[in-house]
Amino acid sequence: MRGGGLWQLGQSLNRRLAQADKKVVGRRFFSSEENLKKTVLYDFHTVNGGKMVPFAGWSMPIQYKDSIMESTVNCRENGSLFDVSHMCGLSLKGKDCVSFLEKLVIADVAALAPGTGTLTVFTNEKGGAIDDSVITKVNEDYIYLVVNAGCRDKDLAHIESHMKSFTSKGGDVSWHIHDERSLLALQGPLAAPVLQHLTKDDLSMLYFGEFRILDINGATCFLTRTGYTGEDGFEISVPSENAVDLAKAILEKSEGKIRLTGLGARDSLRLEAGLCLYGNDMEQHVTPVEAGLTWAIGKRRRAEGGFLGAEKILKQLAEGPPVRRVGFISSGPPARSHSKVQDDKGNSIGEITSGGFSPCLKKNIAMGYVKSGTHKTGTKVKIEIRGKAYDGTITKMPFVPTKYYKPT
């Protein structure tokens, strides 16, 4: 039953976030309820029916009164409001902040126009991904970026360590961690028209990947036209004392069409959009080239290197990576993380990293890694689920077309 498949997705995520995998709990989550941090919207979530679960040390809503299927479809048809305040926003400032950051990420930060940003990857000495991040060059001596909640501690330690070395040699860079702010993600076709009611700035002039500091609902906000669903939308960094009022105002202005949405639908939305979840689809041993993020490596960076792990990454660009991230459509039960992938002769060629039932496409979708040479679109494979092999086909991503707001 298809609804059952989606229920399984929600239950699987719920169990994984809570207790099922002790190794994951120990590494990424706090298992004790008393230790969990709460966003300023915690009470707002519970009053509105949010089902709270542990995630990356925080108590976060996995869903509200709607099912995960209903929430996913509503985001694409109308809109969703997510509390993503568990993620970590920070600013780098100083005349050398661009050159400093370029030592740590693969992006051509210097080439970004002021007020624009990009997805990038923090790499380690072996070329593996420490984390993915959306970075924005506010101006030549001011960068704003957001890192994942589950990677916060290691990311901040990594940045701080390199910053100490950089400044000890005379580099001019300092940082501020925005723990005084909350982060809301407003996604879907109604995101822009609804948010326009709450600001005097013309949002039609703000395109995908662009950033502004502006007044929204009476509060000074950092607004980035981006998101994690494939839909048009925004991430709004708002002073924490104004976060609940802003959330209420957005929901009110939408007249009930934009709904509070939790982690369950966020996971199915990003999977439909073909976007990586760090810890599943990207890890410290996976390079950006293997992860299909070659486009994020700036042209100048390909020529010059100068970032951690550049030797391995540039070699993979020249010679090709040993494995590649691909999408799958499959029959039978939805494929899950670590499901084995075989070729038509039964040889193991890779494994699934994320999978589930697509509420919008009404079919099983997944992503994972296969050996180079077996990655071509249309290749028939077998996916092993609970000891039984099911038919699958390698397909292009995103599964659902993206609707980013770009100049025509």
Side-chain angles (χ1 to χ4, degrees):
M1 181 177 172
R2 292 301 189 187
L6 185 63
W7 178 86
Q8 268 189 329
L9 172 61
Q11 294 302 308
S12 173
L13 180 59
N14 198 346
R15 288 193 301 271
R16 177 168 64 82
L17 294 177
Q19 290 284 4
D21 188 338
K22 301 298 183 183
K23 194 177 291 185
V24 171
V25 167
R27 187 175 74 247
R28 297 180 64 197
F29 313 117
F30 291 102
S31 58
S32 173
E33 192 69 32
E34 312 88 71
N35 292 333
L36 295 176
K37 291 177 278 189
K38 297 177 181 178
T39 75
V40 296
L41 289 130
Y42 177 86
D43 291 339
F44 185 65
H45 296 315
T46 58
V47 166
N48 284 278
K51 181 180 179 183
M52 312 304 288
V53 298
F55 181 77
W58 294 79
S59 183
M60 299 298 293
I62 188 172
Q63 67 184 92
Y64 295 84
K65 297 172 185 177
D66 295 346
S67 69
I68 293 172
M69 175 179 279
E70 291 167 337
S71 292
T72 302
V73 172
N74 186 69
C75 180
R76 302 219 185 276
E77 292 182 348
N78 296 298
S80 289
L81 182 64
F82 303 87
D83 177 12
V84 290
S85 304
H86 58 310
M87 299 180 73
C88 178
L90 60 140
S91 293
L92 298 174
K93 293 188 177 182
K95 66 180 179 64
D96 298 320
C97 67
V98 170
S99 59
F100 167 70
L101 186 60
E102 284 198 342
K103 294 180 180 298
L104 306 182
V105 301
I106 60 176
D108 188 346
V109 185
L112 291 173
T116 66
T118 185
L119 176 73
T120 193
V121 179
F122 283 86
T123 50
N124 57 34
E125 289 80 357
K126 296 181 179 179
I130 293 175
D131 197 5
D132 57 336
S133 172
V134 173
I135 61 169
T136 299
K137 185 162 78 172
V138 183
N139 56 49
E140 295 299 332
D141 58 4
Y142 179 8
I143 292 167
Y144 172 71
L145 61 148
V146 177
V147 299
N148 286 308
C151 298
R152 173 185 170 127
D153 290 347
K154 71 170 182 177
D155 287 357
L156 296 185
H158 177 72
I159 295 169
E160 184 176 33
S161 171
H162 285 274
M163 187 182 298
K164 285 180 178 178
S165 174
F166 187 81
T167 56
S168 72
K169 298 172 184 175
D172 178 26
V173 61
S174 61
W175 68 344
H176 175 74
I177 301 164
H178 291 290
D179 287 337
E180 79 285 359
R181 288 183 165 268
S182 296
L183 193 62
L184 301 177
L186 177 60
Q187 301 283 290
L190 296 183
V194 167
L195 193 62
Q196 188 63 77
H197 288 298
L198 302 176
T199 183
K200 294 179 181 179
D201 288 73
D202 185 359
L203 298 180
S204 71
M205 301 304 293
L206 185 72
Y207 296 104
F208 177 69
E210 294 185 344
F211 172 95
R212 298 287 184 275
I213 298 176
L214 70 173
D215 184 288
I216 302 176
N217 200 46
T220 301
C221 297
F222 304 163
L223 184 68
T224 310
R225 198 152 196 165
T226 188
Y228 194 46
T229 64
E231 297 294 316
D232 181 29
F234 307 89
E235 289 188 356
I236 311 165
S237 173
V238 56
S240 289
E241 62 268 24
N242 303 114
V244 173
D245 286 344
L246 177 56
K248 289 178 178 178
I250 289 170
L251 297 175
E252 181 183 326
K253 291 296 182 182
S254 80
E255 299 179 339
K257 291 183 179 179
I258 290 176
R259 301 177 192 168
L260 289 169
T261 308
L263 295 174
R266 187 168 164 84
D267 193 52
S268 56
L269 286 159
R270 70 91 192 167
L271 179 57
E272 289 181 337
L275 301 174
C276 291
L277 173 63
Y278 192 88
N280 277 42
D281 313 299
M282 291 179 70
E283 299 259 15
Q284 300 221 40
H285 64 275
V286 176
T287 72
V289 182
E290 294 164 354
L293 299 177
T294 298
W295 61 267
I297 307 172
K299 184 178 180 180
R300 177 177 61 84
R301 310 310 307 276
R302 299 184 193 197
E304 299 176 1
F307 50 87
L308 295 174
E311 183 179 354
K312 180 173 182 178
I313 291 170
L314 298 184
K315 184 178 180 182
Q316 287 189 349
L317 284 173
E319 301 176 1
V323 296
R324 298 175 188 262
R325 183 172 65 95
V326 296
F328 301 89
I329 300 292
S330 64
S331 63
R336 302 298 182 200
S337 180
H338 303 303
S339 295
K340 301 301 180 186
V341 181
Q342 302 170 346
D343 63 16
D344 55 4
K345 297 178 181 177
N347 300 308
S348 178
I349 59 171
E351 73 171 31
I352 303 298
T353 53
S354 289
F357 176 73
S358 166
C360 296
L361 300 177
K362 304 294 188 289
K363 63 176 73 171
N364 298 331
I365 60 175
M367 69 173 76
Y369 288 82
V370 296
K371 295 176 182 177
S372 288
T374 66
H375 64 283
K376 301 299 183 185
T377 297
T379 299
K380 302 296 182 183
V381 298
K382 295 287 186 180
I383 301 176
E384 187 177 310
I385 305 167
R386 294 192 290 273
K388 185 175 179 181
Y390 294 89
D391 291 334
T393 304
I394 292 178
T395 188
K396 290 183 178 180
M397 296 185 286
F399 301 99
V400 173
T402 57
K403 299 174 185 174
Y404 302 132
Y405 181 70
K406 298 181 178 181
T408 53

